[in-house]
């Protein structure tokens, strides 16, 4: 093998999420997970200064001439150029920065129900980033495959994927989506709800990153007996000076009430639209939870309590979508069976 040239898997599964980009190399598994973020010069957006983790570290800390942007908003490409540059960089990084021998086939996941124009933008940006061919698969389908569910048979399966921007619920059977629902409410709305709560209750303005840290630290979807607290630092809106307050888990659960209600309404709508035979399969098999938001403490219990269904948190929920896409990328036959169906969902 020549110097600097490395074997690149010819098949890649790419989860271009609102919060994170996850790359799965066929034969290797998940090789990369980075925040879906780029830092660019404000005057020339094509000048990328940092991608992923490095860009996220700059969030809320950049001088005026540098901005950290999320190129994907609610699962849809909001900034074409920076998405393309980010994907190019991350595919390169996934390959250990070696010169690829051949261009990969990439299976990319897209939210259920995006428009043909939005689908085209994903295809063009990934192709522009160096892919030989690009195939789209809807997220709930990839999530189910990644979670190890059998969706080929006539049995119904249900997945709820709670990501950064959107929560997607779907009932799948025979390689197709029977019913699905997507709400623009997930992890980021939870962070916003925490920011608003602390602003209203304590006159303290905190940043997005801090809000997320509090959520990961002491956030819970349901009230739990054990009391936990976190020290939260921000800017006092009255004095204008930095200040710290102590927040409890009960308060965070209260703050999360609204976004969680929105997500639960989506789950309920999806179940209401499910044919009875499939509903009974789901009652037996349980609802599978994927996506980073499903890691919120007690999320599985909340859904189980409110639906009366068994709920199973998938293994490695943040990787399921990329894993499902990667499995399909390595199995053309199966990919074809699924994407043929997919064309009808547009
Ligand atoms: P996307 O597919 O939209 O990129 P992910 O599935 O990667 O989203 O999930 C990202 C979201 O999950 C973020 O909003 C993040 O704050 C949230 N998250 C990750 N881990 C946890 C956790 N332990 N508790 C609560 N939320 C979490
Ligand atoms: Mg996702």
């Amino acid at each position: 093998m020549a110097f600097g040239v490395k074997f690149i898997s010819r098949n890649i599964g790419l989860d271009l999420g609102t919060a994170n980009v996850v790359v799965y190399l066929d034969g290797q598994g998940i090789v990369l997970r980075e925040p879906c973020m780029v830092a660019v010069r404000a005057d020339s957006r094509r000048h990328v200064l940092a991608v992923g983790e490095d860009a996220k570290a700059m969030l809320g800390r950049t001088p005026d001439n540098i901005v950290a942007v999320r190129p994907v908003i609610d699962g849809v490409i909001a900034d074409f150029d920076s998405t393309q540059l980010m994907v190019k960089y991350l595919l390169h990084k996934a390959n250990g920065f070696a010169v690829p021998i051949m261009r990969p086939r990439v299976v990319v996941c897209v939210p259920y129900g995006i428009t043909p124009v939005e689908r085209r933008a994903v295809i063009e940006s990934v192709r522009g980033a160096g892919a030989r061919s690009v195939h789209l698969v809807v997220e709930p389908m990839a999530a189910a495959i990644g979670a190890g569910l059998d969706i080929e048979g006539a049995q119904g399966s249900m997945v709820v994927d709670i990501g950064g921007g959107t929560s997607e619920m779907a009932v799948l059977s025979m390689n197709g989506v029977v019913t699905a629902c997507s709400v623009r409410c997930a992890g980021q709305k939870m962070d916003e709800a925490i920011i608003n709560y602390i602003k209203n209750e304590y006159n303290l303005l905190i940043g997005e990153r801090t809000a997320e840290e509090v959520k990961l630290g002491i956030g819970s979807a349901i009230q739990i007996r054990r009391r936990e607290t976190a020290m939260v630092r921000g800017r006092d809106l009255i004095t204008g000076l930095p200040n710290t307050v102590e927040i409890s888990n009960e308060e965070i659960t209260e703050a999360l009430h609204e976004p969680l209600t929105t997500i639960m309404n989506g789950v309920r709508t999806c179940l209401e639209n499910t044919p009875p035979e499939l509903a009974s399969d789901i009652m037996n098999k349980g609802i599978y939870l994927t996506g980073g938001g499903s890691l919120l403490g007690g999320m599985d219990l909340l859904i189980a309590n409110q639906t009366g269904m068994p709920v199973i948190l998938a293994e490695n929920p943040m990787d399921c979508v990329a894993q499902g896409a990667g499995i399909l990328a390595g199995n053309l036959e199966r990919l074809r069976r699924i994407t043929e169906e997919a064309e009808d969902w547009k």
Side-chain angles (χ1 to χ4, degrees):
M1 199 179 277
F3 176 74
V5 180
K6 202 174 156 185
F7 171 76
I8 183 166
S9 165
R10 290 187 297 148
N11 308 316
I12 292 180
L14 177 67
D15 172 10
L16 203 53
T18 304
N20 295 297
V21 182
V22 188
V23 180
Y24 180 106
L25 291 192
D26 183 27
Q28 288 185 43
I30 305 284
V31 290
L32 180 145
R33 187 195 303 121
E34 300 243 3
C36 187
M37 206 169 270
V38 290
V40 289
R41 284 240 313 261
D43 54 351
S44 108
R45 293 226 153 195
R46 294 199 63 91
H47 197 109
V48 172
L49 301 168
V51 173
E53 212 64 72
D54 301 337
K56 190 170 184 184
M58 297 178 178
L59 192 64
R61 293 206 174 102
T62 51
D64 285 350
N65 59 343
I66 297 172
V67 282
V69 292
R70 291 186 188 277
V72 178
I73 295 177
D74 297 343
V76 170
I77 293 179
D79 186 328
F80 187 85
D81 288 344
S82 47
T83 301
Q84 188 163 325
L85 291 164
M86 178 185 73
V87 172
K88 195 170 189 171
Y89 175 85
L90 293 178
L91 290 183
H92 199 41
K93 187 170 183 181
N95 191 38
F97 293 113
V99 182
I101 290 177
M102 56 195 350
R103 300 197 299 152
R105 176 200 303 142
V106 185
V107 173
V108 196
C109 302
V110 289
Y112 181 81
I114 69 169
T115 66
V117 174
E118 291 163 339
R119 292 168 73 96
R120 186 117 307 269
V122 175
I123 294 173
E124 294 303 324
S125 71
V126 177
R127 190 170 283 151
R132 168 168 46 103
S133 65
V134 184
H135 307 263
L136 304 187
V137 170
V138 291
E139 258 155 19
M141 190 75 95
I145 294 170
L149 285 167
D150 172 19
I151 54 159
E152 307 223 67
Q155 285 246 325
S157 304
M158 179 164 176
V159 278
V160 175
D161 180 273
I162 306 170
T166 57
S167 298
E168 315 238 329
M169 309 76 188
V171 173
L172 312 157
S173 173
M174 298 177 73
N175 283 327
V177 172
V178 179
T179 170
C181 188
S182 172
V183 293
R184 298 206 162 187
C185 178
Q188 285 165 5
K189 280 276 160 43
M190 297 184 204
D191 301 343
E192 275 170 35
I194 293 174
I195 294 174
N196 289 334
Y197 181 90
I198 294 176
K199 188 158 71 185
N200 294 337
E201 296 292 316
Y202 296 96
N203 283 315
L204 188 76
L205 188 64
I206 63 166
E208 247 175 79
R209 273 165 58 93
T210 307
E212 188 180 18
E213 280 165 19
V214 174
K215 176 183 72 177
L216 302 195
I218 61 167
S220 173
I222 50 170
Q223 293 291 0
I224 51 169
R225 283 233 189 87
R226 197 178 61 247
R227 187 181 150 86
E228 290 172 344
T229 59
M231 301 304 286
V232 181
R233 196 175 288 212
R235 180 162 54 86
D236 191 301
L237 286 169
I238 296 167
T239 65
L241 298 173
N243 194 11
T244 306
V245 298
E246 190 175 16
I247 300 286
S248 72
N249 55 347
E250 288 141 41
E251 290 176 290
I252 300 301
T253 305
E254 193 185 322
L256 295 180
H257 180 75
E258 206 178 297
L260 290 175
T261 306
T262 308
I263 295 171
M264 282 314 306
N265 286 342
V267 174
R268 226 170 275 126
T269 308
C270 188
L271 278 170
E272 279 164 13
N273 294 336
T274 303
E277 297 291 350
L278 297 181
S280 118
D281 294 341
I282 296 161
M283 189 76 210
N284 289 332
K285 285 211 274 188
I287 298 173
Y288 279 73
L289 286 190
T290 66
S294 65
L295 287 167
L296 179 71
M299 195 67 217
D300 47 351
L301 285 176
L302 178 75
I303 299 180
N305 288 346
Q306 298 209 0
T307 60
M309 298 266 186
V311 175
I312 297 124
L313 181 60
E315 234 174 272
N316 306 319
M318 290 177 88
D319 295 341
C320 287
V321 168
Q323 213 156 323
I327 290 170
L328 291 174
N331 186 339
L332 208 53
E333 240 343 272
R334 201 166 170 199
L335 176 67
R336 210 165 271 143
R337 283 203 292 277
I338 280 178
T339 42
E340 263 166 19
E341 298 274 344
E343 296 315 307
D344 303 332
W345 307 334
K346 266 187 231 165

